[in-house]
Amino acid sequence: MANYESKNHRGYHRDRNQRPHQDQRRSRQTKRVQVEVGQRFPLTIKRMGINGEGIGYYKRMAVFVPGALTNEEAVVEVTSVATRYLRAKVHRIRKTSPHRVEPRDSYADQVGGFELEHLDYPAQLAFKRDVVAQALERYQPEGFHSYDLRPTLGMKDPYGYRNKAQFQVRRNAEGQVEAGLYAERSHDLIDLPTCSVQMPVTMTVMRAVVAMLQDLDMPIYDEEQKSGIVKTLVVRAAAHTDDVQLVFITNSPKLPHKRELLERIANELPQVTSVMQNINPGETSLVWGNDTRHLAGAEAITEKLGDLTFKLSARAFLQLNPAQTEVLYDEAKKALDLQPGQTVVDAYAGIGTIGLSLADVAAEVRGMEIIPEAVDDANANAAANGITNAHYEVGTAEDLLPKWVMAGFRPDAIVVDPPRTGLDATLIETILAIRPSKLVYVSCNPSTLAKDLVDLTADYRVEYIQSVDMMPQTARCEAVVKLTRRQ
């Protein structure tokens, strides 16, 4: 329970000599509103926050309500109390938004990754453009009021798009093997027998392997006891080649019943062309370990994006939505507007997807990535596609880019596609020191994008921001930003 100051207080008698603002301040200090977990009250949702939750106000305190939509009127129940805000859940909706729809997944309100499944798709696209606007309003980079925020590019069918299922594996109280995602703000596993946003083949393989683990009585990892072996199952499918890779993430190098397991996979799941094991020992918040071993089939799978072919090793990053990946990278290529003979740096390169798509125009492409396997894949992808003017190295952009510049390589253009944490401060300094004429920022987090733009707009002008919906049914939003150097 916590106390909150009330705006309106009757019963405090003001001294006639006191100034009104002193009276108001003392009034706020003497009368407080008590709010307890479990308390219910009516609430009107004024807007939606960056995580897809509804936001209303109770006694001037912000209330965050997952599952509630703008302009809905609901009775909500407080679930947690913080100093300056409340969290609550919907108890009953009194007035329903015309944009509310029935979620396809019954567990959509329990686990992450489905937080907008109750919102119709046109409204989801409008929301994601608004998320970018909210982030800009918060950080206020130079000229943000006049930015060209283009309507979000969405999908014709916003389901069945995820090419990778990464599910935790545990035994329930009855001893049954389950695979799924954790409930929000907990480590309680929600078993997912179906999932409407996954490519169907990923769920077919996932559920079949779960049944095999049960039949073979495999030692499943127990978080409380810190014992057992199989922690996580990862299934990734290539949309354009029908390759499927299965990865067992384990607590130790041992994999009991490995021979029987691999035989069953080969016989029952012929669509699986690669089986790998990643070893990630002990209690850790990281899903992947550093040691990856080949178990059966090929060591990688192959995907196609546009006219290019890409090799994917187990830990290599690729966007979860193959169809929208082509849209995103086409937008990045369009924004960069590379001219023949210009050089380009592909920072945070992954397996080279963006940089290699620019190689047909560029004089030279250089890229970097911190995961060695991804760099190997990027260079192999260049060779496999007959590209001789692209080269990738292991390391961070903030380390390698200054070295390249010192050695005489000064890029005409840079494209950055950083993780959710945004750009490293040293890399921003390096970009501002080098001042390439063209800069494109591919963002997966509008908040860190807006924060980074505060520094970048010292030397660059934002021409436009094109949001792209890479993950329908979620609050996640990608954006391509075209920046040009100020003269």
Side-chain angles (χ1 to χ4, degrees), residues 222-241:
D222 185 313
E223 281 188 302
E224 293 185 1
Q225 300 297 323
K226 298 179 177 57
S227 62
I229 292 179
V230 180
K231 285 183 167 183
T232 307
L233 293 177
V234 182
V235 181
R236 176 152 63 179
H240 297 290
T241 64

Side-chain angles (χ1 to χ4, degrees), residues 3 9 219 311 328:
N3 294 322
H9 170 59
K311 172 187 173 186
L328 182 74

Side-chain angles (χ1 to χ4, degrees), residues 250-262:
T250 61
N251 188 42
S252 77
K254 295 180 180 178
L255 190 61
H257 308 294
K258 179 168 67 175
R259 182 178 59 81
E260 299 98 314
L261 181 61
L262 293 177

Side-chain angles (χ1 to χ4, degrees), residues 116-363:
L116 295 185
E117 205 175 10
H118 60 297
L119 180 64
D120 69 45
Y121 195 53
Q124 288 187 33
L125 297 180
F127 162 79
K128 294 189 179 190
R129 181 181 180 276
D130 184 60
V131 165
V132 176
Q134 285 187 52
L136 294 172
E137 183 69 41
R138 178 182 178 188
Y139 288 98
Q140 302 192 354
E142 185 174 341
F144 76 97
H145 282 302
S146 60
Y147 288 177
D148 177 9
L149 301 185
R150 299 184 173 181
T152 307
L153 299 176
M155 303 184 71
K156 290 182 179 179
D157 180 10
Y159 290 94
Y161 64 86
R162 291 188 194 175
N163 60 10
K164 184 166 76 169
Q166 185 169 284
F167 289 177
Q168 306 302 312
V169 183
R170 299 291 183 266
R171 284 192 189 274
N172 63 20
E174 291 74 39
Q176 297 297 306
V177 178
E178 297 182 332
L181 302 173
Y182 292 129
E184 290 277 27
R185 303 178 185 277
S186 81
H187 265 220
D188 297 331
L189 190 74
I190 305 297
D191 189 43
L192 302 186
T194 63
C195 185
S196 69
V197 295
Q198 287 290 153
M199 289 174 59
V201 68
T202 64
M203 293 304 294
T204 297
V205 171
M206 179 68 68
R207 300 318 303 183
V209 173
V210 167
M212 294 175 194
L213 297 178
Q214 181 74 41
D215 292 345
L216 294 171
D217 196 24
M218 297 284 284
I220 306 301
Y221 185 69
D222 185 313
E223 281 188 302
E224 293 185 1
Q225 300 297 323
K226 298 179 177 57
S227 62
I229 292 179
V230 180
K231 285 183 167 183
T232 307
L233 293 177
V234 182
V235 181
R236 176 152 63 179
H240 297 290
T241 64
D242 295 328
D243 284 350
V244 177
Q245 184 177 69
L246 169 64
V247 184
F248 294 91
I249 299 180
T250 61
N251 188 42
S252 77
K254 295 180 180 178
L255 190 61
H257 308 294
K258 179 168 67 175
R259 182 178 59 81
E260 299 98 314
L261 181 61
L262 293 177
E263 285 179 355
R264 287 194 59 174
I265 292 169
N267 292 331
E268 299 174 31
L269 296 170
Q271 61 269 59
V272 174
T273 58
S274 171
V275 185
M276 308 293 289
Q277 179 183 3
N278 177 266
I279 300 150
N280 187 22
E283 187 177 12
T284 171
S285 60
L286 301 176
V287 174
W288 293 84
N290 293 322
D291 184 5
T292 303
R293 302 182 182 185
H294 176 228
L295 297 183
E299 293 194 24
I301 59 175
T302 301
E303 181 61 291
K304 291 182 179 179
L305 292 174
D307 297 328
L308 300 177
T309 299
F310 293 94
K311 172 187 173 186
L312 300 172
S313 58
R315 293 182 63 206
F317 171 78
L318 183 70
Q319 297 280 357
L320 288 174
N321 188 331
Q324 289 294 88
T325 296
E326 295 191 36
V327 173
L328 182 74
Y329 291 168
D330 282 347
E331 288 298 321
K333 190 173 182 178
K334 184 193 308 179
L336 203 60
D337 190 26
L338 205 65
Q339 299 301 306
Q342 291 186 322
T343 56
V344 60
V345 165
D346 178 13
Y348 306 92
I351 59 171
T353 43
I354 295 180
L356 295 181
S357 71
L358 302 168
D360 60 335
V361 177

Side-chain angles (χ1 to χ4, degrees), residues 43-70:
L43 190 73
T44 299
I45 304 302
K46 298 296 186 182
R47 61 185 177 89
M48 291 177 66
I50 60 174
N51 296 312
E53 70 279 71
I55 300 176
Y57 295 88
Y58 176 71
K59 305 292 185 181
R60 291 198 168 191
M61 303 304 299
V63 186
F64 296 90
V65 189
L69 300 176
T70 302

Side-chain angles (χ1 to χ4, degrees), residues 75-95:
V75 175
V76 302
E77 180 178 318
V78 176
T79 57
S80 67
V81 177
T83 305
R84 297 187 178 184
Y85 63 89
L86 308 173
R87 293 190 183 278
K89 63 182 179 180
V90 174
H91 173 66
R92 183 176 78 256
I93 296 178
R94 290 177 167 177
K95 177 186 175 184

